[in-house]
Amino acid sequence: QVQMKETGPGLVQTTQTLSVTCTVSGFSLTSYGVHWVRQAPGKGLEWMGIIWGDGSTNYNSALKSRLSISRDTSKSQVFLTMNSLQTDDTAVYYCAEGTMVHWGQGVMVTVSS
Amino acid sequence: NIVMTQSPKSMSISVGDRVTMNCKASQNVGNNIAWYQQKPGQSPKLLIYYASNRYTGVPDRFTGGGYGTDFTLTINSVQAEDAAFYYCQRIYNSWTFGGGTKLELK
């Protein structure tokens, strides 16, 4: 069965770079895309971007200048990297399989000065 | 960029009632809409895809409709476990979410 799990630093300083990893099982990253979605405390869902099975990417235009999504297919891992963090980047970060049927449980990231 | 607007922001419904929530796209998106349910502390769960297709295992009291710019999610005979946030999403090209509708039970 498909499983997805996010791991991240928990706390990051403002202006620093965030790195979150999504480890998947039950499907191949070369066959299906993986989305990143975040949710600030008490707020709605924000789609961040996707890495497709062929390795190409699409990003939310509002985040594109700060965001990078990459992967290591040998480890079944997808990486989210976002720079120049501010306090309003505090959120739960989710990865989801390409159809958005399967989601990880999310990882809370707090950005603090 | 396409903007997805959901209404109302919240609603309070009694068990057994029928409820309809709305999602409006700022441009024609065809039937490229999905609906999700999210309960506190949980990840979103897919309910409806391509505007009107119920995902496997979703109770048939959930019905999606619409095309183009105006979409609806209807829950017939609301149950206590349906209390949650509901989000629409444009799928393909940019997977933009609406702001959500909070469904509370009286």
Side-chain angles (χ1 to χ4, degrees):
Chain A
Q1 71 279 21
V2 173
Q3 293 187 329
M4 311 185 70
K5 184 175 182 179
E6 306 89 347
T7 52
L11 180 66
V12 185
Q13 301 297 309
T14 53
T15 75
Q16 297 301 302
T17 296
L18 171 66
S19 295
V20 184
T21 298
C22 174
T23 303
V24 312
S25 61
F27 69 97
S28 170
L29 292 178
T30 59
S31 298
Y32 292 90
V34 171
H35 297 269
W36 286 98
V37 175
R38 69 178 180 176
Q39 186 169 37
K43 303 296 184 182
L45 301 169
E46 181 180 27
W47 178 78
M48 302 181 73
I50 182 173
I51 186 164
W52 294 96
D54 65 0
S56 62
T57 54
N58 289 101
Y59 298 116
N60 182 328
S61 58
L63 301 172
K64 188 174 184 177
S65 64
R66 300 194 291 135
L67 185 61
S68 177
I69 300 174
S70 59
R71 67 185 186 181
D72 183 339
T73 56
S74 68
K75 295 182 179 180
S76 294
Q77 292 181 325
V78 176
F79 310 107
L80 178 145
T81 304
M82 189 163 66
N83 58 30
S84 303
L85 291 180
Q86 298 300 318
T87 55
D88 59 4
D89 292 313
T90 293
V92 175
Y93 287 77
Y94 295 99
C95 61
E97 166 266 338
T99 62
M100 289 194 157
V101 168
H102 304 285
W103 294 62
Q105 84 277 15
V107 61
M108 180 69 202
V109 175
T110 301
V111 182
S112 173
S113 56
Chain B
N1 292 337
I2 289 181
V3 176
M4 308 299 296
T5 303
Q6 289 186 243
S7 62
K9 292 191 183 307
S10 67
M11 49 201 328
S12 183
I13 303 295
S14 298
V15 170
D17 285 353
R18 180 186 188 197
V19 61
T20 296
M21 56 192 77
N22 303 290
C23 174
K24 188 173 185 67
S26 60
Q27 300 175 33
N28 188 337
V29 296
N31 69 340
N32 291 318
I33 289 292
W35 288 92
Y36 300 85
Q37 178 193 67
Q38 187 183 32
K39 297 180 180 180
Q42 296 184 14
S43 304
K45 293 182 179 178
L46 178 67
L47 297 174
I48 302 288
Y49 62 98
Y50 291 136
S52 60
N53 294 273
R54 203 176 295 115
Y55 179 65
T56 304
V58 174
D60 60 7
R61 63 180 181 272
F62 291 90
T63 302
Y67 187 89
T69 60
D70 293 287
F71 301 89
T72 58
L73 177 67
T74 297
I75 311 173
N76 288 300
S77 188
V78 169
Q79 302 300 301
E81 63 265 29
D82 298 336
F85 285 87
Y86 293 84
Y87 296 93
C88 66
Q89 182 195 33
R90 187 267 179 107
I91 54 179
Y92 294 123
N93 294 327
S94 69
W95 281 256
T96 309
F97 288 96
T101 293
K102 182 179 183 180
L103 179 64
E104 295 178 302
L105 278 295
K106 291 180 181 175

